[in-house]
Amino acid sequence: MGTGHYFWALFYFASLCSASLANNAKINFREKEKKVLDQILGAGKYDARIRPSGINGTDGPAIVRINLFVRSIMTISDIKMEYSVQLTFREQWTDERLKFDDIQGRLKYLTLTEANRVWMPDLFFSNEKEGHFHNIIMPNVYIRIFPNGSVLYSIRISLTLACPMNLKLYPLDRQICSLRMASYGWTTNDLVFLWKEGDPVQVVKNLHLPRFTLEKFLTDYCNSKTNTGEYSCLKVDLLFKREFSYYLIQIYIPCCMLVIVSWVSFWLDQGAVPARVSLGVTTLLTMATQTSGINASLPPVSYTKAIDVWTGVCLTFVFGALLEFALVNYASRSDMHKENLKKKRRDLEQASLDAASDLLDTDSNATFAMKPLVRHPGDPMAMEKLRQCEVHMQPPKRPNCCKTWLSKFPTRQCSRSKRIDVISRITFPLVFALFNLVYWSTYLFREEEDE
């Protein structure tokens, strides 16, 4: 009998222990989180208006550590001088009023979605133009409270930020766009922002940018002093390099082709006036349209850009080809006028020679007599012969180097208009090649200096 009672007592104790273990296994830690949140954030226990104390509970400034994850960079606008970025922004600080019992490590952290329940740093983006939060499907924000009182705030935001650009080397330039974060109301005596140790800024892999490449980024501090005090500030400098291949295909090669096409008029006949005028005017208008299209995509600045030098010189070459035809046409008409004058002079000389021959024919039966080589006054025939002798006895002129060089060109009757075309065929390409050499060496060298 005693043994039976002992057995039943042992069985009852074992059942109680198993029930207790089962109850412990079925503990709802979400309910524990609720109790902990009510305990640390209950009415009269926590005031979100009061900032946390400094390090180790001192009266120093609250330390807030920042880190960023750049998800994407959508657009970089030259004409508006701005860029758009989407990022995950994180802040972390310690608030000793939020310490709680982690139930032997089973509560790693508490999660909140209402930022107004705890104290928040008054950070703002000083170069922001526009910005918005993401609320699809739920607000992309959370606050984690750790047992030691550490608070992590994370939010996904999209920003449009100002980016002042220097376009002197456009499109061979590099641009530095900054992201600035500062405290609005708390001075450095109450709040200090620091970059998180290790890797404060991360960028998504395979970041693709239209017409730009993100070369590197740098973190720095930018504290500012105003009449109301000194405010903590952080900044990230993003270094963008412009992709030149797009501009080479869209601007530089088409401009070169237009300049070369304008040289075709040098090889056309001088009499093809409609063809040469149409070619010159068409290339000039096309080049002007190209230049205006380039300027429409850029802001009006007071300095000269690299692309302005290129388009200006190309436009000058095209305009010069059109002026060259005007000069050729004028020289051609001048040559024709001189040719007509020479023809008239030759006709008059021929007429005078014919008259003299007729006079000699009439006196052919007269007796021939030797006359002394004495010039009698008033003798027209003697005067004419003397003039011819003087012409033949004049000393030869010194050869002109330029005329000698020009005479080597295949010209027809030493036509000045033809010579202008021949010289232009050589001069224009040489000068344009020299300009390309100076242009690319100058701006590429300046780009390396800036780098």
Side-chain angles (χ1 to χ4, degrees):
M1 191 69 175
T3 304
H5 283 292
Y6 176 77
F7 174 77
W8 285 109
L10 185 61
F11 177 76
Y12 179 73
F13 179 75
S15 62
L16 288 177
C17 290
S18 61
S20 175
L21 291 175
N23 290 333
N24 288 335
K26 294 180 181 179
I27 293 177
N28 189 345
F29 287 98
R30 306 291 78 78
E31 292 293 333
K32 291 290 185 180
E33 288 183 15
K34 177 181 179 302
K35 292 181 180 179
V36 172
L37 287 173
D38 291 339
Q39 178 183 356
I40 61 177
L41 298 176
K45 296 183 178 180
Y46 183 86
D47 193 344
R49 299 172 298 177
I50 307 302
R51 72 168 180 87
S53 57
I55 300 176
N56 298 325
T58 62
D59 195 30
I63 305 298
V64 179
R65 299 190 178 274
I66 308 293
N67 72 309
L68 305 173
F69 176 66
V70 179
R71 293 181 172 272
S72 64
I73 299 176
M74 281 76 74
T75 58
I76 302 175
S77 175
D78 297 315
I79 190 168
K80 294 183 179 180
M81 291 196 178
E82 64 184 21
Y83 72 105
S84 300
V85 61
Q86 183 186 126
L87 51 86
T88 298
F89 173 75
R90 305 186 187 100
E91 296 176 303
Q92 193 163 8
W93 67 94
T94 300
D95 193 341
E96 295 184 354
R97 297 171 295 175
L98 299 177
K99 290 182 178 180
F100 62 90
D101 184 12
D102 59 355
I103 312 177
Q104 299 179 354
R106 296 185 179 182
L107 284 180
K108 294 183 179 181
Y109 54 80
L110 305 175
T111 302
L112 293 177
T113 56
E114 300 174 356
N116 57 357
R117 297 288 301 275
V118 298
W119 176 86
M120 291 289 299
D122 60 343
L123 181 141
F124 76 106
F125 298 94
S126 58
N127 60 332
E128 173 203 353
K129 286 187 174 181
E130 294 179 359
H132 66 273
F133 302 121
H134 293 266
N135 297 319
I136 300 175
I137 299 177
M138 292 293 292
N140 298 165
V141 59
Y142 68 78
I143 297 176
R144 290 178 181 174
I145 304 176
F146 295 87
N148 62 349
S150 178
V151 182
L152 172 63
Y153 174 72
S154 177
I155 187 171
R156 185 165 74 100
I157 53 179
S158 291
L159 300 170
T160 300
L161 304 164
C163 178
M165 299 182 182
N166 186 351
L167 300 174
K168 288 184 178 180
L169 298 180
Y170 176 92
L172 301 168
D173 57 334
R174 285 178 169 85
Q175 302 297 336
I176 297 178
C177 295
S178 299
L179 173 64
R180 295 173 176 268
M181 300 160 287
S183 172
Y184 190 80
W186 300 96
T187 64
T188 52
N189 295 327
D190 299 314
L191 178 63
V192 173
F193 292 123
L194 298 176
W195 286 112
K196 184 180 178 181
E197 297 178 356
D199 194 7
V201 178
Q202 296 137 1
V203 179
V204 66
K205 295 181 179 179
N206 301 322
L207 179 65
H208 177 71
L209 298 174
R211 295 184 289 176
F212 281 94
T213 299
L214 179 61
E215 287 193 329
K216 60 182 178 180
F217 53 87
L218 303 172
T219 58
D220 200 357
Y221 296 89
C222 54
N223 291 5
S224 60
K225 292 183 179 180
T226 65
N227 293 334
T228 57
E230 182 180 1
Y231 297 90
S232 184
C233 175
L234 304 178
K235 74 171 181 176
V236 184
D237 289 332
L238 305 173
L239 178 60
F240 296 105
K241 180 182 179 182
R242 199 181 300 273
E243 287 290 344
F244 180 69
S245 58
Y246 170 82
Y247 300 93
L248 180 65
I249 296 172
Q250 297 293 328
I251 296 177
Y252 284 92
I253 292 179
C255 289
C256 282
M257 294 172 64
L258 287 173
V259 172
I260 294 173
V261 167
S262 69
W263 299 341
V264 175
S265 65
F266 304 154
W267 300 87
L268 298 179
D269 187 73
Q270 304 170 22
V273 176
R276 297 187 69 163
V277 171
S278 300
L279 183 62
V281 172
T282 302
T283 52
L284 182 63
L285 292 177
T286 306
M287 192 66 215
T289 304
Q290 180 86 347
T291 304
S292 61
I294 295 170
N295 293 329
S297 62
L298 294 173
V301 293
S302 59
Y303 47 83
T304 302
K305 304 179 288 293
I307 195 66
D308 294 335
V309 176
W310 175 264
T311 55
V313 172
C314 290
L315 189 62
T316 303
F317 270 94
V318 174
F319 184 66
L322 186 60
L323 289 183
E324 188 270 349
F325 171 66
L327 182 61
V328 166
N329 187 267
Y330 173 77
S332 177
R333 287 186 287 108
S334 178
D335 292 340
M336 290 179 61
H337 180 67
K338 288 184 177 180
E339 193 68 26
N340 292 332
L341 292 178
K342 288 182 180 179
K343 186 177 179 181
K344 289 180 180 179
R345 189 179 298 111
R346 285 195 299 267
D347 293 341
L348 291 175
E349 292 177 356
Q350 186 65 32
S352 62
L353 290 175
D354 292 342
S357 62
D358 292 341
L359 181 61
L360 291 175
D361 289 340
T362 55
D363 295 340
S364 59
N365 296 326
T367 302
F368 180 78
M370 295 294 292
K371 296 181 180 181
L373 293 176
V374 179
R375 182 170 59 91
H376 299 281
D379 188 357
M381 295 298 294
M383 292 292 292
E384 181 66 23
K385 291 179 180 180
L386 182 61
R387 192 179 299 113
Q388 292 178 1
C389 291
E390 289 177 354
V391 170
H392 288 290
M393 294 176 63
Q394 284 180 355
K397 296 181 180 180
R398 290 186 178 181
N400 193 327
C401 297
C402 295
K403 289 184 178 180
T404 305
W405 179 74
L406 291 174
S407 63
K408 296 179 181 179
F409 291 105
T411 60
R412 181 178 57 84
Q413 298 178 358
C414 298
S415 173
R416 290 187 303 168
S417 58
K418 188 65 176 179
R419 287 184 178 182
I420 294 173
D421 270 343
V422 173
I423 295 172
S424 299
R425 294 172 192 174
I426 301 173
T427 305
F428 272 73
L430 286 179
V431 175
F432 190 68
L434 179 62
F435 161 71
N436 273 271
L437 179 63
V438 174
Y439 179 87
W440 294 112
S441 60
T442 300
Y443 283 102
L444 291 178
F445 181 71
R446 288 180 61 183
E447 183 187 9
E448 292 178 357
E449 283 186 346
D450 292 346
E451 184 179 2

